[in-house]
Amino acid sequence: MTVSNVVLVMTTTCTALMAGLFYSYSCSVVVGLKLLNDPGYIAGMQAINRAIQNPVFFTSFFGTLLLLPVSTYLNYYQHPPLRFWLLLMATIIYVTGAFGVTVLGNIPLNNALEQFNLTSATADAIRLQRSIFESRWNTLNAIRSVSSILSLILVIIACIYADKSHLGILK
């Protein structure tokens, strides 16, 4: 087992964890929250947005962000094999579609929602806050889900693909 392969296993694991998180959120939490009344929805999202900021989540989220480019780099040779290109595509998709969307889209929405004072707001203000937040946030989460799943598929294909040409072994 080479260092490159160990890093690739770690990369695959982190990418799978993130794809699973975004996917499961889309097909369970979003569905459940949709059934809540407006104050329940706002309170639920505020609580979830606080709770997700924990070491387990951050390890997977930032671990994927770090491990994908490292794994890509470790698979670069003079004549890069397909594995390199697959990992490069996975990295670009994750960095833009999962990390970038989170940082530039979901987090600002979460921060704005956190500032919303549910206890002093009127029913109309709560309804408006939900309408501003919910659809946009869910759309961004769907982008993160699809991006993470695509990244995972590419990483899995990279794991399966075994190119020995960089070792001087002919196919």
Side-chain angles (χ1 to χ4, degrees), residues 74-94:
L74 291 174
N75 283 279
Y76 180 80
Y77 310 105
Q78 186 174 5
H79 300 288
L82 178 60
R83 177 180 279 179
F84 166 81
W85 296 109
L86 291 166
L87 291 169
L88 180 61
M89 288 187 297
T91 299
I92 292 167
I93 292 169
Y94 183 83

Side-chain angles (χ1 to χ4, degrees), residues 1-16 67-68 70-72 74-75 83-84 86-88 90-91 151-152 154-162:
M1 192 75 142
T2 65
V3 170
S4 177
N5 284 337
V6 170
V7 172
L8 186 56
V9 168
M10 292 169 37
T11 302
T12 305
T13 302
C14 281
T15 307
L67 289 168
L68 274 167
V70 168
S71 194
T72 302
L74 291 174
N75 283 279
R83 177 180 279 179
F84 166 81
L86 291 166
L87 291 169
L88 180 61
T91 299
S151 292
L152 177 60
L154 292 167
V155 171
I156 290 170
I157 294 169
C159 288
I160 295 168
Y161 181 76

